[in-house]
Structure formats: C-alpha cells, structure tokens
Amino acid sequence: MRLRLLPAPAEHGVRFARTDVGVEIPAILDHVGEQDHATTLRRDGVSIGTVEHLLGALSGLGVDDVRVEVDGPEVPVLDGSAAPFVILLHEAGLRPLAVPRLHVRVKEPVAVVHGTKSARLLPAEHFEIGYSIGFDHPLLRHQALSLRVTPRSFTEQVAPARTFGFLREVEMLRKSGLALGGSLENAVVIGETGVLNNKLRFEDEFVRHKILDAVGDLALIGFPLLGRLEATRAGHALHTAVAQKLLATPGAYEIVAADAPERGSVVAGRALGLESPVESPA
Ligand SMILES: [Zn+2]
C-alpha cells in the first residue's frame, strides 16, 4: 500500500482519499466505523482502517489541513508507532495558512464509563492527557502517565511508542484464522515472562502508546482540543465515545480561535498545512 500526504487549502481539514476506489472520507467522528483493535473510518460502504497513528502525528504536530491518499483499505502500519509519520511530516515541512486556528474548548466535564473503564473530558488551559492502564498480566498490572500534548512532547514522548499485544491473543487470533498483520514486526508482543521480539523504547511504552491512540482518536473532533482527557483502561471505542458525547452535550464545549503558539509554532494562531507532498517508504 502507498500513502501520500498532500498540501490542502485552509479549512479543508484532514481527508482520506481511497485512490483505488475514488472515495474521499473526512476524518471526523461522523465517519467512525469499526473500532476493535484500531479505528476505521467508513463512508458509502468504503472504509479506511488504522487511521489513528497518522491522525495522532497530524494532531500532535498541529497540522489542520491535509489530503491523505491511500491506494488500499488500510493506512500502512509501518513500525506500529507514529514516528515514521512524524518524520514524513518533517520532510514535507509545515506552513501557516491564511485562517485562524479554531479549537474546541471543553467547558463542562463529560464522561463515558463502562465498568472499570472510563474516559472523561475536563476543562483545561491546554491539551492534556492523563492515562492509566491495567491488565491481568504480571508485566502490565499498572502504568500511568500524564502530559501536556505539544509538538515537542508528542514527538519525543509519545510518537515512538509502538502498538502492543499479548502472545495469548496472537495465538487466539491464529487459532480463529484471523490475519495477524505481520504482528512481530509492527507490534511489541508480550509473553508470559517478558517482551518477546523487541527492546522497549520506553519503560512505560505501553501507556505512551495508549496516549498516542487517544491523540489520534480525539483528532476526529475535527478541531484541536483545549481540554484534558482522563482515561482509565480505555481504548478506541471509549476515546471516540467521549468525544461524541462532548459534541452532543449542549454547553459542554465552545469553538474558540485561541492563540496557541506551542501547537503551531510557525505563526501563532494560524491553521497549519503542508509545504510539499510526501510519500511513505512502504
Ligand atoms: Zn495504536
């Protein structure tokens, strides 16, 4: 599969174009499809899968307007992190566009709770995420991390964190005949006593990857967020559910043209686009 990122005009937003079938899908909550292990966008029976790491990179670096061309049903997974996309965006270069950057600012808390899993959006000055995970596995009982998402923190602390999975799930998937998607090359696989196939990039790489997923999923709001996500044992479905709840709750948010130089870093308060087209190595 080939992925190309192309400059787009101001107020275009992020749009995926399936060039093999000629369908364009805006990256917004209205088009969210299946969300089992990744986030899929769907429109008119056509879907584009695993959008969250690329969306995370775009949102993390503050890119508002871009056309993403893919000639198949899935964004290339590459190494399972957002680092290759960050590199592509640096290659393309970013430029300010002739409109102010608009933000969705959280005014009132909203929450989605499913048993011990929860996602909450709270008012905050900046875009922040506090995430905690816990699994029934000796290596991953508990990890938690809280950070403010800026282009710098995203690039250094979040983007390199890779997808992870448990060996027992890989075996289960294999038994049920489901595709594994090259699981050993683009994911960290956790066995009963340790990580099987790779050295970790961070001691707490797993919770950092959850933050990456959340940045990507929240990008489907369609505007950068001014607010704090508090997530506990959440995942793609809860990330988008709480975003949907925010937009569906009258008075819970407002759209503001905030001056946030740390997000754009080129010209304060302007929307950002790409300087030039780039193509993924895969
Ligand atoms: Zn992910």
Side-chain angles (χ1 to χ4, degrees), residues 80-131:
S81 82
F85 300 122
V86 168
I87 292 166
L88 272 188
L89 291 168
H90 278 290
E91 274 174 26
L94 304 183
R95 70 185 170 97
L97 301 171
V99 296
R101 163 173 284 133
L102 300 179
H103 298 251
V104 163
R105 191 172 79 83
V106 180
K107 287 173 69 184
E108 300 289 340
V110 293
V112 178
V113 180
H114 290 171
T116 59
K117 305 175 178 201
S118 64
R120 292 181 166 77
L121 285 171
L122 311 168
E125 285 290 297
H126 306 282
F127 181 22
E128 304 169 353
I129 295 182
Y131 216 114

Side-chain angles (χ1 to χ4, degrees), residues 37-39 50 52-53 80-81 161-164 209-210 212-214 217 236:
H37 292 284
T39 295
T50 321
E52 65 272 16
H53 304 156
S81 82
R162 292 160 298 168
T163 307
F164 61 93
H209 186 80
K210 299 297 283 190
L212 163 57
D213 283 341
D217 290 331
H236 297 299

Side-chain angles (χ1 to χ4, degrees), residues 51-75:
V51 295
E52 65 272 16
H53 304 156
L54 174 58
L55 288 178
L58 292 167
S59 167
L61 297 193
V63 177
D64 301 284
D65 299 297
V66 61
R67 175 179 166 88
V68 180
E69 292 187 349
V70 187
D71 60 359
E74 191 177 29
V75 174

Side-chain angles (χ1 to χ4, degrees), residues 214-234:
V215 173
D217 290 331
L218 293 178
L220 293 167
I221 289 171
F223 295 96
L225 191 68
L226 291 179
R228 177 178 177 84
L229 173 73
E230 279 286 348
T232 303
R233 306 184 67 209

Side-chain angles (χ1 to χ4, degrees), residues 133-145:
I133 55 175
F135 291 91
D136 179 22
H137 189 285
L139 285 181
L140 212 46
R141 290 267 181 256
H142 181 73
Q143 276 187 7
L145 183 66

